[in-house]
Amino acid sequence: MFEFIGNFLWLAIAGAASVGGFVTMKRFVHRRLRFVDGVHRRGVPLLAGIAGGFVGLLAAALPLVTPLTAVLFGIGVGTGVAAGRREIKRLPSP
């Protein structure tokens, strides 16, 4: 029974980390980095995902945060940056 609760809690934390990373980075790129040309370079989402995963690994010292959670957070950050870039490209030119 306790194993089920632990797995469910881990799944909830991992899901919240990945969705939270995605939403936060998409909003940040759309609002703050709209006029920064460097965000449109090809490798920026990958670099942001790696940096997010590294920051998540630093948080892996906490009891319920595992390295897989950190990787999922990095994936969420990278895809959030990519989605924010696409959203910027759809905006009309000023």
Side-chain angles (χ1 to χ4, degrees):
M1 180 69 178
F2 290 115
E3 183 179 339
F4 174 74
I5 293 171
N7 288 338
F8 184 74
L9 189 58
W10 175 83
L11 184 64
I13 290 172
S18 61
V19 170
F22 175 82
V23 170
T24 303
M25 288 310 297
K26 181 179 175 186
R27 188 178 303 144
F28 181 77
V29 169
H30 177 70
R31 289 184 181 170
R32 301 285 179 148
L33 300 180
R34 182 183 305 173
F35 301 112
V36 177
D37 291 334
V39 79
H40 297 289
R41 290 189 183 156
R42 192 172 204 146
V44 170
L46 180 65
L47 186 63
I50 291 171
F54 181 71
V55 169
L57 281 176
L58 294 177
L62 298 174
L64 292 174
V65 179
T66 63
L68 184 58
T69 306
V71 169
L72 290 175
F73 177 71
I75 291 171
V77 167
T79 55
V81 170
R85 282 181 7 170
R86 281 192 305 270
E87 196 170 300
I88 290 172
K89 288 181 182 179
R90 288 189 220 149
L91 291 175
S93 298

